[in-house]
Amino acid sequence: MYDMAMELKTDGAKCLYEQIYEHIREEIKGGRLLSGERLPSTRALAEYLQVSRTTVDFAYGQLLSEGYIEAIPYKGYFVCRMEELPEGNSQALPDDDRMTEAKKEESIPYNGNICYDFSPNGLDMSLFPFGVWKRISKNILNDGNKELFALGEAQGDYDLRQTISRYLHSARGVKCTPSQIVVGAGNDYLLLLLEKLLGRHAGIAMENPTYKRAYRIFRSFAYNIEVIGVDEGGMKVEELRKKQVKAAYVMPSHQYPTGITMPIGRRMELLKWAAEGEERFLIEDDYDSEFRYKGKPIPSLQGADGNGRVIYIGTFSKAIAPAIRVSYMVLPPLLLKRYRESCSFYSSTVSRIDQRILNEFIRDGYFERYLNKTRKLYREKHDILLQELKPFRKKFQIFGENAGLHLVLSSRDEKLTEEYLIRKAAEHGVKVYGMSDALIEENDGKRQAEGMLVLGYGGLRAEEIKEGMAKLKQAWL
Amino acid sequence: MYDMAMELKTDGAKCLYEQIYEHIREEIKGGRLLSGERLPSTRALAEYLQVSRTTVDFAYGQLLSEGYIEAIPYKGYFVCRMEELPEGNSQALPDDDRMTEAKKEESIPYNGNICYDFSPNGLDMSLFPFGVWKRISKNILNDGNKELFALGEAQGDYDLRQTISRYLHSARGVKCTPSQIVVGAGNDYLLLLLEKLLGRHAGIAMENPTYKRAYRIFRSFAYNIEVIGVDEGGMKVEELRKKQVKAAYVMPSHQYPTGITMPIGRRMELLKWAAEGEERFLIEDDYDSEFRYKGKPIPSLQGADGNGRVIYIGTFSKAIAPAIRVSYMVLPPLLLKRYRESCSFYSSTVSRIDQRILNEFIRDGYFERYLNKTRKLYREKHDILLQELKPFRKKFQIFGENAGLHLVLSSRDEKLTEEYLIRKAAEHGVKVYGMSDALIEENDGKRQAEGMLVLGYGGLRAEEIKEGMAKLKQAWL
């Protein structure tokens, strides 16, 4: 067995499990621990290093989840046989992760300690009514008969679809019947279905910058992606008109990452474009429409569509909890027909129990109450952030601050690059995210997001926002 | 509003809700109720017809779920605006539905009343430990912290993957580490992922007859499907060798629908074929391997593979309950690498809560206990069916009777066609299924399943099997 001697520091800079994890990882990366080689048991290593077994468990757990080592039942831990070791891309990326590229970077922190993370993916679940959720779950299990364990309808259970259609009608102005709704386990899955409906080799127009996860998924299809520029109103329709595409992917209520809310004029232009061709669609990703801080809620693009050209996609992963793997797609009649003809044999991906819990959670008003509370919570954070941003306004412009859980900072000084701003922030213990992570480059599109940052505040407490912004002041002003 | 006068018979031949449902359905099909037209409220119709409101609710519910009518929130029920009315293909088809075509037929019953349904999809959940499942669920909800509501790993939670790998190792001889397992919401979803791993335009070899659902899914991909004949050992490898395909889809433990258990020799031939090419894979669908009544359990094809060429797919939808939307796929290293590079950004489709319930259910021995009980239960049914089949042996050959939940009857008299046998059975109140439903016709393959039937017994009680077989005796002998 490999000699596991390693020097553990107890100066508190790094905890023990991290040191063990890093040591073994480097041994594997450096080829000193060979693939297939057996690691000592956690018990043996803990004894040898004179640390608790839990510490070694943690370290092995980390190595396991990153794919460096494997556990073979009843045999032990072995270095992975993978031809190439993972580069951190096996980690879980949430559905509503609007900055997957940025996430990756987290594994390469600047050497200082990051204390404040303005991640655009941060969520605050402190107000989530866990008790209510548990109670509903238990009641359903208690009352539930064996039907619950049977397979439900492929599109999702009718009750849930009816509840969703009511919610979408009242909250988002979506005009649809339950029969148009397809419920699925996450947006990614629904996009997989959509590929079957739009057909292979479809051309898809995307804004630049855009939601990188959707881009990656569309790229994994046989889609031809056309990159369309954005101005202050969102996707430029005159550019779109020059392209041969079947669908345009937009986020009209709050574009990621620019934060633009698409004005009604641009919406009408888009709908007109869609109505003109024989088979043109708009994919409306309404992902954080629940949170709006200024003016009236803006109804969905779908609600303004009179020609059956909008595919509306939403998720409960952001508004309820990432673990709630329930998204929904509202199909226009033409695609609904195609779904029934060619896709309805795909079994439902959501268990009936989960569908019923969610149905009751929404139907009985808990969802709305929770949304109202979180909207208030996020608005407070949002207001604090804007307050703290006042001294920055001389050097930065602020965009997209009326909705969602992030806003955009743009440096007025062209010389202050994104990379510089991120590095300076990190030196002060603050993690901020560059807009360029959301840029896509098909053909020869250039990266033009110098000096632009995405600042998410959903996951930080009010105090943390204040402290983090004070640090950023030191870093940038 | 449309005149809803209809004559309801109370002679008990058909229940009231069925009569209302059928009446409205025919009105829609016949164009007397036009698309977009509003139906009377359930209250109004119930009063008018002098039936209970529940009866009308049931009828509307049926029409809704079949897509004939729609419910528009706060407005009422309307005839669907679909360009073409559904032909029953929007109904839920379970993952393990090995006879989707046959299912469709159920909506066109012969006029007699079917009392005994030998559906190959029938399951017996009478022994399912609902209490245990509920208790585990409750405990998890009670103990569970907020982590449960966070998104888990894309491949599935490590604990569950470890438990699955242990189970597969001991029960099916599958050699894998948890890192090779991808957990997903149903086989259909996993096949969608597999499309991304095998690449577009891959050639796929399938047996004929085969599992029609997999065929339909592969067809919905850009796959070139090559139909390979079967003999008593399963897929003919010499035919396979003549085709340019990347993968062959097989069910070695119990082929659907022929019931063939692939002998070791044929397995070796298949593995050899796969090992020879640069990138060749075998997709092993091990769907009802849990149930075997004669001889030792036959280990998986995957376990015999020394070259990393087998993609092993299994599901808990059949062995636990159709509602448990958890399937798993064991990827060989080459495809695992590709998954990590190009697919690991697809979020997990199964909620962490469900993963944890399932994990504890298996880990704590309940799954194995339940399997042992159901195996015994199905074996009893199987033995009764074989006993009752004795008088049929003169006229029929029996195949595939050592495993799974169905067997195959083949008429020795070539003049007795499948269609004739099904019709005669129906006249005696028994529903049987034709083998030809599982035939696929790519190129100019001919239908050669005349006089062959699939007899499923999982969903029938012992008494029902006896009674049904007595009826079949009258019908056929």
Side-chain angles (χ1 to χ4, degrees):
Chain A
M1 198 188 301
Y2 186 76
D3 176 20
M4 272 293 170
M6 63 185 90
E7 203 184 318
L8 297 178
K9 286 172 190 157
T10 50
D11 57 5
K14 269 184 193 169
C15 58
L16 289 171
Y17 102 83
E18 233 178 318
Q19 294 182 55
I20 297 171
Y21 153 73
E22 281 177 5
H23 175 84
I24 298 178
R25 190 189 62 193
E26 293 313 308
E27 293 289 286
I28 294 171
K29 278 184 160 176
R32 290 175 295 279
L33 264 169
L34 295 175
S35 75
E37 201 156 351
R38 185 162 176 270
L39 294 181
S41 70
T42 53
R43 183 187 301 269
L45 188 58
E47 261 173 38
Y48 179 74
L49 296 174
Q50 290 292 300
V51 298
S52 85
R53 214 172 140 189
T54 318
T55 302
V56 179
D57 275 343
F58 271 139
Y60 278 22
Q62 185 68 21
L63 291 162
L64 276 166
S65 69
E66 292 184 10
Y68 287 103
I69 65 171
E70 309 185 307
I72 299 182
Y74 311 115
K75 292 197 172 167
Y77 295 94
F78 294 81
V79 177
C80 264
R81 284 166 212 274
M82 299 292 299
E83 291 171 49
E84 279 177 35
L85 288 163
E87 281 301 337
N89 53 355
S90 68
Q91 58 185 302
L93 294 171
D95 223 35
D96 42 31
D97 182 342
R98 297 276 142 174
M99 197 161 270
T100 47
E101 300 304 310
K103 261 255 154 150
K104 271 186 164 181
E105 309 261 314
E106 285 179 294
S107 56
I108 322 158
Y110 295 84
N111 279 330
N113 282 324
I114 293 294
C115 301
Y116 308 97
D117 184 347
F118 285 86
S119 163
N121 308 314
L123 286 181
D124 189 334
M125 286 197 60
S126 62
L127 299 179
F128 183 73
F130 291 100
V132 169
W133 191 270
K134 287 177 186 179
R135 182 163 47 75
I136 294 176
S137 307
K138 286 181 193 175
N139 288 345
I140 285 173
L141 285 168
N142 276 336
D143 305 344
N145 47 30
K146 296 181 183 181
E147 252 181 54
L148 271 184
F149 291 87
L151 187 67
E153 288 178 69
Q155 276 186 251
D157 282 357
Y158 188 80
D159 287 352
L160 176 61
R161 286 188 281 128
Q162 189 162 48
T163 300
I164 292 175
S165 79
R166 281 188 183 149
Y167 164 70
L168 290 180
H169 182 259
S170 68
R172 305 294 306 129
V174 169
K175 295 181 300 195
C176 74
T177 64
S179 69
Q180 286 173 268
I181 294 178
V182 178
V183 170
N187 283 15
D188 301 357
Y189 171 70
L190 291 177
L191 292 179
L192 282 169
L193 276 188
L194 201 56
E195 181 194 16
K196 306 289 168 221
L197 298 178
L198 293 179
R200 282 161 218 127
H201 309 293
I204 299 280
M206 297 192 86
E207 292 155 312
N208 195 17
T210 190
Y211 176 35
K212 208 64 173 280
R213 167 181 287 277
Y215 170 71
R216 282 214 220 171
I217 291 175
F218 290 144
R219 266 249 303 239
S220 83
F221 301 165
Y223 282 0
N224 169 34
I225 297 172
E226 294 285 359
V227 177
I228 314 284
V230 288
D231 59 19
E232 67 290 345
M235 183 179 272
K236 292 181 186 169
V237 180
E238 67 272 29
E239 270 191 38
L240 174 62
R241 287 191 174 282
K242 291 177 193 150
K243 307 288 184 182
Q244 287 292 322
V245 293
K246 195 167 193 173
Y249 171 85
V250 288
M251 295 162 271
S253 56
H254 193 226
Q255 205 266 358
Y256 190 89
T258 62
I260 292 168
T261 298
M262 192 181 281
I264 187 71
R266 184 62 56 89
R267 290 174 189 231
M268 289 302 154
E269 278 182 67
L270 273 179
L271 287 171
K272 189 160 174 285
W273 167 83
E276 277 166 16
E278 230 175 76
E279 188 164 308
R280 284 181 182 174
F281 298 98
L282 297 165
I283 304 169
E284 177 178 23
D285 181 350
D286 207 26
Y287 85 105
D288 70 359
S289 61
E290 293 87 359
F291 307 113
R292 174 139 208 97
Y293 314 114
K294 203 177 171 182
K296 281 186 190 172
I298 293 167
S300 65
L301 183 65
Q302 200 269 5
D305 171 29
N307 298 289
R309 300 309 181 116
V310 175
I311 301 153
Y312 178 93
I313 295 183
T315 178
F316 292 110
S317 299
K318 191 128 190 163
I320 298 184
I324 310 305
R325 310 302 303 143
V326 184
S327 293
Y328 44 89
M329 169 160 81
V330 178
L331 292 175
L334 181 65
L335 294 182
L336 179 59
K337 181 164 172 287
R338 207 169 292 164
Y339 168 83
R340 289 196 170 160
E341 284 163 4
S342 63
C343 278
S344 62
F345 58 85
Y346 283 102
S347 301
S348 168
T349 44
V350 188
S351 90
R352 297 191 87 172
I353 300 174
D354 292 355
Q355 292 189 54
R356 216 161 126 188
I357 296 170
L358 186 58
N359 180 44
E360 296 195 7
F361 187 76
I362 304 170
R363 192 197 62 195
D364 296 349
Y366 298 109
F367 179 51
E368 213 175 324
R369 235 167 291 163
Y370 176 55
L371 268 189
N372 288 338
K373 280 186 194 169
T374 46
R375 198 178 290 118
K376 189 161 166 286
L377 181 72
Y378 288 137
R379 179 196 291 274
E380 281 163 14
K381 295 183 182 191
H382 163 267
D383 291 349
I384 289 165
L385 179 60
L386 277 188
Q387 179 66 30
E388 299 295 322
L389 273 170
K390 276 190 182 162
F392 291 76
R393 288 191 182 261
K394 261 192 190 160
K395 283 194 156 184
F396 293 90
Q397 281 187 287
I398 297 168
F399 299 104
E401 75 275 24
N402 294 332
L405 301 176
H406 77 276
L407 48 75
V408 173
L409 282 191
S410 171
S411 168
R412 294 181 196 271
D413 180 351
E414 283 176 19
K415 275 168 281 171
L416 296 186
T417 63
E418 181 182 302
E419 188 267 332
Y420 168 82
L421 292 166
I422 292 173
R423 185 162 44 78
K424 286 297 280 184
E427 283 168 14
H428 288 77
V430 183
K431 185 150 182 55
V432 294
Y433 296 77
M435 172 78 93
S436 65
D437 293 324
L439 281 173
I440 54 179
E441 296 174 70
E442 295 278 324
N443 312 322
D444 45 5
K446 279 176 195 162
R447 290 169 86 85
Q448 300 171 315
E450 291 297 316
M452 290 183 89
L453 300 167
V454 177
L455 228 58
Y457 49 89
L460 292 171
R461 281 177 290 115
E463 279 315 301
E464 289 173 327
I465 294 174
K466 285 182 194 168
E467 290 162 16
M469 293 310 293
K471 296 277 184 193
L472 283 183
K473 216 163 143 182
Q474 291 169 23
W476 294 345
L477 302 186
Chain B
M1 198 188 301
Y2 185 75
D3 177 20
M4 273 295 168
M6 62 185 93
E7 203 182 317
L8 297 179
K9 286 174 189 154
T10 50
D11 57 3
K14 267 181 195 172
C15 58
L16 290 171
Y17 102 83
E18 235 179 317
Q19 295 181 56
I20 298 171
Y21 153 73
E22 281 177 6
H23 176 84
I24 299 178
R25 191 190 61 191
E26 293 314 309
E27 292 290 287
I28 294 171
K29 278 184 158 177
R32 292 175 294 281
L33 263 169
L34 296 174
S35 75
E37 202 158 349
R38 186 162 176 269
L39 294 182
S41 71
T42 54
R43 182 187 302 268
L45 187 59
E47 263 173 37
Y48 179 74
L49 296 175
Q50 290 293 299
V51 298
S52 85
R53 213 170 142 190
T54 318
T55 302
V56 180
D57 275 343
F58 270 140
Y60 278 22
Q62 186 66 23
L63 291 162
L64 276 168
S65 70
E66 292 185 10
Y68 287 103
I69 64 171
E70 308 185 305
I72 299 182
Y74 311 115
K75 293 197 171 164
Y77 294 94
F78 295 81
V79 177
C80 264
R81 283 165 214 276
M82 297 294 299
E83 290 169 50
E84 279 176 35
L85 288 165
E87 282 302 335
N89 55 354
S90 68
Q91 59 186 299
L93 294 172
D95 224 33
D96 43 32
D97 182 343
R98 298 276 143 175
M99 198 159 268
T100 48
E101 300 304 310
K103 260 253 152 154
K104 271 185 160 183
E105 309 262 312
E106 283 178 296
S107 55
I108 323 159
Y110 294 84
N111 280 330
N113 281 327
I114 292 295
C115 301
Y116 308 97
D117 185 348
F118 285 85
S119 163
N121 307 313
L123 285 182
D124 188 335
M125 286 198 58
S126 62
L127 298 179
F128 183 73
F130 293 100
V132 168
W133 191 269
K134 287 177 186 179
R135 183 163 47 75
I136 294 176
S137 307
K138 285 180 193 174
N139 287 345
I140 284 172
L141 285 167
N142 277 336
D143 305 345
N145 47 30
K146 297 183 182 178
E147 254 181 52
L148 271 184
F149 292 86
L151 185 68
E153 287 178 68
Q155 274 184 254
D157 282 356
Y158 187 81
D159 287 351
L160 176 61
R161 286 188 280 128
Q162 189 163 49
T163 299
I164 292 174
S165 79
R166 280 188 185 149
Y167 164 69
L168 290 180
H169 182 259
S170 67
R172 304 293 307 129
V174 169
K175 293 179 303 192
C176 73
T177 63
S179 69
Q180 285 174 267
I181 294 177
V182 178
V183 170
N187 283 15
D188 301 358
Y189 170 71
L190 291 177
L191 292 179
L192 281 169
L193 275 188
L194 201 55
E195 181 195 14
K196 306 292 166 218
L197 297 179
L198 291 179
R200 281 161 218 128
H201 311 293
I204 299 280
M206 297 192 87
E207 290 154 313
N208 195 18
T210 190
Y211 175 33
K212 209 66 173 277
R213 168 181 286 277
Y215 171 71
R216 280 216 219 170
I217 291 175
F218 289 144
R219 265 250 304 239
S220 82
F221 301 165
Y223 282 0
N224 169 37
I225 296 173
E226 295 285 0
V227 177
I228 314 285
V230 287
D231 59 19
E232 67 289 346
M235 183 177 272
K236 292 181 187 168
V237 179
E238 67 272 30
E239 270 191 37
L240 175 62
R241 288 191 174 281
K242 290 177 194 149
K243 307 289 183 180
Q244 286 293 321
V245 294
K246 196 168 194 172
Y249 171 86
V250 288
M251 295 162 272
S253 55
H254 193 226
Q255 207 266 359
Y256 190 90
T258 62
I260 292 169
T261 298
M262 193 180 281
I264 187 72
R266 185 64 54 89
R267 290 174 188 231
M268 288 302 153
E269 278 182 67
L270 273 178
L271 288 171
K272 188 161 175 285
W273 167 83
E276 276 166 17
E278 233 176 74
E279 189 164 306
R280 286 181 179 173
F281 298 99
L282 298 165
I283 304 170
E284 177 178 22
D285 181 350
D286 207 25
Y287 85 104
D288 70 0
S289 60
E290 293 87 358
F291 307 113
R292 176 140 205 97
Y293 314 114
K294 201 176 172 181
K296 281 187 191 172
I298 293 167
S300 65
L301 183 64
Q302 199 269 5
D305 171 30
N307 298 290
R309 299 311 180 116
V310 175
I311 301 153
Y312 179 92
I313 295 183
T315 178
F316 293 110
S317 299
K318 190 128 191 162
I320 298 184
I324 309 305
R325 310 302 303 141
V326 184
S327 293
Y328 44 87
M329 170 161 80
V330 178
L331 293 175
L334 182 65
L335 294 181
L336 179 58
K337 183 167 172 282
R338 209 170 289 163
Y339 168 83
R340 291 197 167 158
E341 283 161 4
S342 64
C343 277
S344 63
F345 58 85
Y346 283 102
S347 301
S348 169
T349 45
V350 188
S351 88
R352 298 192 85 172
I353 299 173
D354 291 355
Q355 292 189 55
R356 219 163 123 186
I357 296 170
L358 185 59
N359 180 44
E360 296 196 8
F361 188 75
I362 305 170
R363 192 198 59 196
D364 296 350
Y366 298 110
F367 179 52
E368 212 176 323
R369 238 167 290 164
Y370 175 55
L371 268 188
N372 288 337
K373 281 186 194 169
T374 47
R375 198 179 291 120
K376 190 162 164 285
L377 181 72
Y378 288 136
R379 178 195 294 270
E380 282 164 14
K381 296 184 181 190
H382 163 269
D383 291 350
I384 288 167
L385 179 61
L386 277 189
Q387 179 67 31
E388 300 297 323
L389 274 171
K390 276 189 182 162
F392 291 78
R393 287 189 184 262
K394 262 193 193 161
K395 283 196 158 184
F396 294 89
Q397 281 188 285
I398 297 169
F399 300 104
E401 76 276 22
N402 293 330
L405 302 176
H406 78 276
L407 48 75
V408 174
L409 283 191
S410 172
S411 169
R412 293 181 196 269
D413 181 350
E414 282 175 19
K415 275 169 280 174
L416 295 184
T417 64
E418 180 183 303
E419 189 267 332
Y420 168 83
L421 292 166
I422 291 173
R423 186 162 44 77
K424 286 296 281 181
E427 282 167 15
H428 288 76
V430 182
K431 186 150 180 53
V432 295
Y433 296 78
M435 174 78 95
S436 66
D437 293 324
L439 282 174
I440 54 178
E441 295 174 71
E442 296 278 323
N443 313 321
D444 46 3
K446 278 176 197 161
R447 291 168 85 87
Q448 301 170 314
E450 291 298 316
M452 289 183 91
L453 300 166
V454 177
L455 228 58
Y457 49 89
L460 293 171
R461 280 176 291 115
E463 280 314 301
E464 290 173 328
I465 293 173
K466 285 181 193 166
E467 291 161 18
M469 292 310 294
K471 296 277 182 195
L472 282 183
K473 217 163 141 181
Q474 291 168 24
W476 294 343
L477 300 187

